[in-house]
Amino acid sequence: MMMMAVTCIGQVSAQSCDSVSTREYDGFFLEAMTQRQKGNHDAAFDLLRHCQELNPQAPEVYYYLAQYYGAIKDSERTMACIKKAAELDPDNTTFMETLAHTYISQQDYASAIPVIKDIYERDKSQEDMLEMLFQLYQQTEDYENAIGVLEQLEQIDGKSERLSVAKSAIYNRLGNKKAAVAEMAALAKHYPNDLNCQAMYGEALIMNDQTKKGLAVYDQVLREDPDNNRVLLSLRTYYQAEGKTAIADSLTERVLMNRNTTTEEKIRLLRQEIAASEADEGDSTRVMSLFGKILELPQTDADMTLFCASYMSAKKMPKDSISHVLEKAVTLSPDYAPARMQLVAYAWEAGDMDKVIALCQEARQYTPDEMLFYYYQGIAYYKRDSLDGALSAFQNGIGVITDNSDPAIVSDFYAVMGDILHQKGLAEAAFAAYDSCLVWKGDNFGCLNNYAYYLSERGERLTQAEEMSYKTIKAEPKNATYLDTYAWILFMEGRYSEAKIYIDQALQNLEESESNDVIKEHAEKIKSKLIKE
């Protein structure tokens, strides 16, 4: 009886230990997940490794450890952990799929195949596993099994263009021309009223040396649908290969003029023509002829006109000719700012400030948040000595400045505004604009020079004016205007000897053709002051 009692007590003790161990594991695992959710990954990783010690048969621990080993690029431990998780719980789809993806990421496609097959066998609703299996068989060049998977998909989804094309392509890789053609023939027979399927059958025939029969299929399709682009493009390719350029070119135009051809398809075809043109000494005559014929047709968007303008620009054609095309583009897409900006640039280069102003004004109506249109309009008005127009453009443009605006442009905005305000006799407003300019770009030397000079004229803040002016001559020590400003500030501070050094440098750096009465006047006053002293 004593022995029986001891045995019973021992059993209870073991169960209690197991219970304590399970509770301890659960507690640590829960804490690991909590730390993981909080983003404390070092703590979560340490807790998971402790969980592994407490329960080496817990698949979820290995699953999460695999993620951490993957994060530190330890591929060996990543694979070992996810394999262990899948081995301990093969019914867990997540573990199995992760194992398959890990094999694939390590380019071990052969090992991934049985895992994917197992997942699909357990759950036939996961059709995407068959798709993945097909890709893996192709990667391993197991084409027979790849065809087998396509046939499984065909049994599930029925015959389709996608599956038939894939099967025919594989048969071609295997050198089985007869099977490749038969597959497309079966598709054409299954969908007798689908002209694209008939066209693909014709392609398969020509590709597999049954040219006469294939051309007959094409003729039949075109009798029913003269604008069938698939057949027209296939015929174009065929005649190009045969060296029959004239026929191929006529087919090119036929497709480009076809009302069923999308703009995207036309651009793709034109790119081919451009590539051929560049390979043949870069003659743009034919390409421009094609663009001309296309652009005579009604356009639904600006893509073709923009493509044409881009090509013309690349071929360095006259800017006025490009401008005509860009004008069509902005008519079709009034809010397309880049085209308008290019038109502004061309007008600017031509010195046509009236056109710049008009273009920018119209652009502001369609793209009111584009700062550059206010900037160029303001500068154009300024060049025309229309101070009020320039100031209005700049003041309106300030309203669209954001933190993402180009600091150099914004800085110039305020700099020119300051110049205009000063010319209008609004000195304090001008100085406020200059301050804003320098906030955006502290080394705007034009602003620094003007600000410093205008302060010196008023005899105000001369120390600050000298500091600003010194920055300009340090950056551009041979700039006569900057040297003159610095000399004049020194003069205003009563430092006449120093002023003479810099005014002499200003005179030395004047261009022969440059006449600057202000600098010469300053030089006379400085020299006169020195003589009196």
Side-chain angles (χ1 to χ4, degrees):
M1 291 190 58
M2 288 292 294
M3 290 178 63
M4 289 178 64
V6 170
T7 303
C8 183
I9 290 169
Q11 290 172 345
V12 171
S13 177
Q15 290 170 357
S16 298
C17 288
D18 288 344
S19 178
V20 170
S21 178
T22 300
R23 285 200 303 273
E24 187 179 7
Y25 167 81
D26 290 343
F28 276 106
F29 184 77
L30 180 60
E31 181 61 21
M33 294 299 99
T34 301
Q35 294 301 323
R36 185 175 185 273
Q37 192 171 16
K38 289 180 177 179
N40 301 328
H41 296 296
D42 288 342
F45 181 57
D46 289 339
L47 287 163
L48 285 168
R49 287 195 296 177
H50 185 58
C51 289
Q52 183 185 10
E53 294 172 0
L54 291 173
N55 186 1
Q57 302 302 309
E60 62 274 10
V61 171
Y62 293 99
Y63 173 73
Y64 287 108
L65 280 173
Q67 294 181 23
Y68 282 111
Y69 285 125
I72 61 174
K73 310 299 182 186
D74 189 338
S75 56
E76 187 175 338
R77 287 185 178 175
T78 300
M79 179 56 75
C81 283
I82 195 59
K83 280 176 73 175
K84 186 68 174 177
E87 176 189 320
L88 291 168
D89 190 0
D91 292 329
N92 189 307
T93 304
T94 300
F95 295 170
M96 296 295 284
E97 286 186 8
T98 304
L99 175 59
H101 286 297
T102 305
Y103 277 130
I104 291 168
S105 68
Q106 296 183 8
Q107 298 185 349
D108 186 356
Y109 305 123
S111 296
I113 287 171
V115 180
I116 297 295
K117 286 177 70 175
D118 183 66
I119 294 170
Y120 179 70
E121 289 302 321
R122 290 171 182 268
D123 183 3
K124 295 289 181 69
S125 68
Q126 294 203 62
E127 196 174 319
D128 58 319
M129 291 296 110
L130 282 179
E131 298 282 357
M132 190 180 294
L133 199 56
F134 170 64
Q135 298 298 333
L136 290 170
Y137 280 133
Q138 289 200 102
Q139 288 286 349
T140 56
E141 298 184 0
D142 186 350
Y143 297 124
E144 295 292 345
N145 274 319
I147 289 173
V149 172
L150 291 174
E151 287 174 346
Q152 279 184 271
L153 286 167
E154 200 169 69
Q155 289 174 7
I156 297 168
D157 299 330
K159 187 171 284 296
S160 70
E161 175 184 325
R162 180 179 71 90
L163 296 176
S164 292
V165 168
K167 282 169 72 176
S168 183
I170 292 175
Y171 282 129
N172 276 321
R173 283 184 205 156
L174 292 170
N176 191 343
K177 295 184 177 183
K178 184 176 179 181
V181 171
E183 183 60 39
M184 299 314 295
L187 178 70
K189 185 176 180 180
H190 192 78
Y191 297 106
N193 298 320
D194 188 327
L195 294 181
N196 273 337
C197 290
Q198 307 304 314
M200 285 187 284
Y201 173 43
E203 289 171 9
L205 287 164
I206 292 174
M207 188 186 300
N208 290 283
D209 305 326
Q210 298 184 48
T211 306
K212 187 175 180 180
K213 193 173 179 180
L215 292 175
V217 173
Y218 284 165
D219 286 342
Q220 180 60 40
V221 172
L222 291 176
R223 275 196 293 272
E224 295 186 45
D225 179 14
D227 293 330
N228 189 291
N229 275 339
R230 185 172 196 123
V231 169
L232 293 173
L233 288 170
S234 294
L235 282 170
R236 172 179 175 269
T237 302
Y238 168 73
Y239 285 117
Q240 282 177 331
E242 291 291 305
K244 297 180 179 180
T245 307
I247 299 175
D249 287 349
S250 68
L251 287 164
T252 299
E253 291 193 29
R254 189 170 166 184
V255 173
L256 289 173
M257 302 299 120
N258 191 337
R259 66 181 185 279
N260 294 329
T261 308
T262 65
T263 302
E264 184 181 355
E265 290 169 335
K266 289 179 181 180
I267 289 175
R268 191 183 309 124
L269 186 53
L270 279 169
R271 288 190 193 282
Q272 294 176 21
E273 291 296 313
I274 290 170
S277 168
E278 293 303 307
D280 187 22
E281 300 180 358
D283 183 7
S284 61
T285 306
R286 172 168 164 74
V287 174
M288 286 307 301
S289 173
L290 292 173
F291 270 123
K293 290 177 181 178
I294 295 169
L295 293 178
E296 285 177 2
L297 300 173
Q299 303 293 310
T300 57
D301 54 49
D303 291 353
M304 186 59 69
T305 50
L306 292 170
F307 183 41
C308 179
S310 176
Y311 175 73
M312 293 172 74
S313 179
K315 299 299 289 185
K316 295 181 171 39
M317 294 184 183
K319 290 175 182 176
D320 57 345
S321 299
I322 301 173
S323 292
H324 290 314
V325 178
L326 288 172
E327 285 164 4
K328 289 184 180 180
V330 297
T331 301
L332 290 163
S333 294
D335 59 348
Y336 188 70
R340 289 190 183 276
M341 192 61 69
Q342 190 61 61
L343 285 169
V344 169
Y346 287 153
W348 185 273
E349 289 175 21
D352 190 344
M353 294 300 111
D354 287 339
K355 189 169 185 180
V356 170
I357 291 167
L359 285 167
C360 289
Q361 187 62 40
E362 187 176 6
R364 284 171 52 182
Q365 297 175 30
Y366 293 101
T367 51
D369 295 332
E370 179 49 69
M371 182 179 65
L372 285 172
F373 292 124
Y374 299 89
Y375 175 75
Y376 283 111
Q377 187 180 41
I379 296 292
Y381 271 125
Y382 190 57
K383 283 180 173 289
R384 267 186 33 183
D385 296 323
S386 177
L387 298 186
D388 290 336
L391 187 59
S392 174
F394 284 122
Q395 287 175 333
N396 286 320
I398 287 172
V400 303
I401 292 171
T402 68
D403 292 339
N404 297 321
S405 297
D406 184 338
I409 298 294
V410 178
S411 177
D412 281 347
F413 246 80
Y414 284 109
V416 181
M417 275 184 63
D419 294 343
I420 294 169
L421 290 164
H422 191 272
Q423 288 181 52
K424 290 174 72 67
L426 303 170
E428 294 304 321
F431 295 158
Y434 289 147
D435 286 331
S436 296
C437 163
L438 297 174
V439 167
W440 281 88
K441 193 171 185 288
D443 61 351
N444 188 316
F445 298 121
C447 173
L448 286 167
N449 176 77
N450 291 354
Y451 196 177
Y453 183 69
Y454 294 145
L455 284 172
S456 72
E457 279 192 318
R458 293 163 64 94
E460 296 178 4
R461 293 187 271 160
L462 292 178
T463 300
Q464 182 187 356
E466 182 191 339
E467 290 173 355
M468 290 192 291
S469 181
Y470 182 71
K471 288 180 182 178
T472 69
I473 64 168
K474 189 175 180 181
E476 298 183 31
K478 294 186 178 182
N479 186 308
T481 300
Y482 293 173
L483 288 164
D484 169 65
T485 296
Y486 191 62
W488 188 247
I489 292 168
L490 293 173
F491 174 80
M492 294 296 292
E493 291 178 317
R495 295 157 63 182
Y496 307 124
S497 297
E498 292 176 76
K500 185 177 184 305
I501 293 171
Y502 287 99
I503 200 67
D504 286 346
Q505 290 182 34
L507 290 169
Q508 290 169 13
N509 284 285
L510 273 173
E511 298 289 338
E512 290 184 8
S513 60
E514 187 177 0
S515 175
N516 194 314
D517 294 336
V518 173
I519 294 178
K520 292 173 182 176
E521 181 185 333
H522 287 167
E524 289 298 324
K525 287 184 178 180
I526 292 168
K527 289 174 184 176
S528 175
K529 195 72 176 177
L530 283 169
I531 291 170
K532 289 179 182 179
E533 290 191 350

